[in-house]
Amino acid sequence: MSIPIPELSRTPITFSEGPQAFFPVEYEPATGEVVMLEQRKLPSEVTYHRYDKPDQVADAIRDMVVRGAPAIGIAAAYALVMVARTEEGDAASFLVANGAAGRVLNATRPTAVNLAWAIARMGRKAAEVAKLDPRERYEAMRAEAEAIHREDVLACHAMGELGARDVPDGATILTHCNAGALATGGYGTALGVIRAAHAAGKKIRVLADETRPYLQGARLTSWELHVDGIPVEVISDNMAGHFFQRGEIDFVVVGSDRIAANGDVANKIGTYSVAVLAKEHGVPFTVAAPWSTVDLTMSDGSGIPIEERPRDEVARVGGTTLVADGIGVRHPAFDVTPGRLVHAVYTERGVFHPAKGEGPSALQSKG
Ligand code: MRU
């Protein structure tokens, strides 16, 4: 299989350690464009878009060309680099332009706190460098966005190593949605744990929930793992209970969009059901996420905003109508798993165990 990779003026941070190199999002300094893998067409088509305006990046985040909590934060950071490149006015007009673009980007998807986190970090850098000349402040903003990207890849590797220690040799691992290289700067969070266990020589295999309605598991997770040569089978979401009951699942690992101070975890809709099943069957339910996913301003998960997505993402699949027009559909895109069901959360700062009453705050000073 030969996959076209767009020419970039510098070496892309690749997301795969396998034979192919892909990346979900990159900034192209030579042209000032954001280059983005079109995830809605995967796996049948591998195409990249080039965007030259921050609003196009905002649309791409909302429409899920790029998706996954860390990846949308990185995309937003690069959109703010575009603003710095074109805004040649004084410090005040630069900060106004940065703030306005940040608000548009922030409004695209509400649940993943990594988006707001990346925009806030770019905002702090903008304030710091606003008085520099336009070229220097652009370079500083670009360096900050690239640091956000690079640090996310390193975080994925660190949490992957930590989580892989808990994966039994010979395990069948269930995962939900796509918390892989496609959803991050590269390597993946939940799939980082899986990649690290595989790299350590553990004989693992993966069951990927298809993840209705957007099918991130069927389309993206299975493809990523297959490309890397990690054994994977796709199951429809309603099969998980059957495989738990038969003792065929040994370990669960998922990603997260926001983790509250008490260890409650927001993630893709359907994650909570998986956690309940894991508890019933005595299987460890674990989460891998970078520190940028932790939101200590939320005391528990009840305050986490849950994104509602369009009706047609449930009512139609691949152009086929499943639910007749005029019939109501509900589409919350995320749910919240109570910390008491979460055996472990792996981060680049260390691990904590919400089911034992541990929250993330003990790791706060390790940054
Ligand atoms: O709606 P999506 O595809 O952006 O949802 C993605 C997830 O729920 C992921 O599990 C989460 O963002 C973690 S990605 C490392």
Side-chain angles (χ1 to χ4, degrees):
M1 182 170 61
S2 165
I3 305 291
I5 309 278
E7 288 292 315
L8 291 179
S9 62
R10 66 190 177 86
T11 308
I13 300 166
T14 60
F15 82 52
S16 171
E17 298 209 324
Q20 301 285 352
F22 307 97
F23 54 91
V25 60
E26 269 291 345
Y27 179 71
E28 167 55 81
T31 61
E33 292 169 316
V34 169
V35 185
M36 212 180 266
L37 181 57
E38 170 55 272
Q39 297 198 26
R40 296 171 303 184
K41 298 222 167 100
L42 291 174
S44 46
E45 271 181 48
V46 180
T47 49
Y48 289 84
H49 294 290
R50 290 181 165 272
Y51 300 120
D52 59 8
K53 294 190 179 54
D55 283 357
Q56 295 171 333
V57 176
D59 290 345
I61 294 171
R62 186 184 304 102
D63 298 342
M64 292 175 67
V65 175
V66 65
R67 30 67 50 203
I72 62 176
I74 293 162
Y78 284 141
L80 294 172
V81 176
M82 288 170 150
V83 174
R85 186 172 185 269
T86 52
E87 177 54 55
E88 299 197 321
D90 62 10
S93 47
F94 167 66
L95 288 174
V96 167
N98 179 272
R103 281 188 292 280
V104 170
L105 290 158
N106 207 13
T108 53
R109 298 199 72 192
T111 304
V113 74
N114 312 63
L115 179 63
W117 172 88
I119 293 165
R121 179 165 159 180
M122 292 299 285
R124 288 193 295 277
K125 181 54 71 176
E128 188 187 313
V129 302
K131 292 204 170 98
L132 298 180
D133 76 59
R135 184 75 210 172
E136 281 177 325
R137 73 189 176 204
Y138 160 67
E139 291 297 349
M141 292 293 278
R142 175 155 80 91
E144 189 71 358
E146 288 173 353
I148 288 172
H149 192 162
R150 193 172 50 249
E151 287 166 21
D152 187 66
V153 180
L154 294 173
C156 285
H157 280 270
M159 73 186 78
E161 294 293 324
L162 265 182
R165 292 181 201 161
D166 287 351
V167 173
D169 196 8
T172 295
I173 305 171
L174 178 69
T175 191
H176 189 75
C177 193
N178 172 265
L182 288 164
T184 60
Y187 200 65
T189 56
L191 296 197
V193 171
I194 288 168
R195 285 192 164 96
H198 178 75
K202 292 188 176 173
K203 298 265 174 294
I204 54 162
R205 66 187 194 108
V206 177
L207 290 181
D209 273 346
E210 68 174 352
T211 318
R212 270 284 289 158
Y214 217 78
L215 305 176
Q216 290 94 331
R219 296 188 302 105
L220 308 176
T221 294
S222 65
W223 182 70
E224 264 199 59
L225 294 177
H226 181 70
V227 166
D228 271 3
I230 299 174
V232 58
E233 291 167 303
V234 175
I235 60 172
S236 65
D237 296 346
N238 54 0
M239 295 175 188
H242 170 76
F243 288 113
F244 273 114
Q245 195 177 46
R246 291 171 63 128
E248 291 195 33
I249 297 172
D250 306 296
F251 194 82
V252 181
V253 64
V254 298
S256 174
D257 290 80
R258 200 183 292 232
I259 301 172
N262 71 341
D264 289 355
V265 170
N267 192 47
K268 179 52 53 193
I269 191 75
T271 302
Y272 171 54
S273 318
V274 172
V276 171
L277 281 169
K279 174 81 177 170
E280 168 70 14
H281 295 283
V283 172
F285 174 91
T286 71
V287 174
W291 194 255
S292 56
T293 305
V294 171
D295 182 357
L296 293 175
T297 70
M298 293 275 161
S299 55
D300 61 48
S302 62
I304 297 176
I306 300 296
E307 178 182 6
E308 294 274 344
R309 301 270 319 161
R311 174 189 189 279
D312 276 2
E313 289 178 2
V314 174
R316 295 183 210 281
V317 171
T320 301
T321 296
L322 301 182
V323 182
D325 290 350
I327 298 173
V329 160
R330 302 291 304 271
H331 188 188
F334 299 94
D335 59 26
V336 176
T337 297
R340 67 186 147 75
L341 301 180
V342 181
H343 170 70
V345 178
Y346 309 108
T347 78
E348 72 275 31
R349 295 188 183 189
V351 57
F352 59 95
H353 299 90
K356 290 186 185 160
E358 296 169 13
S361 51
L363 300 176
Q364 195 179 5
S365 58
K366 303 226 161 137

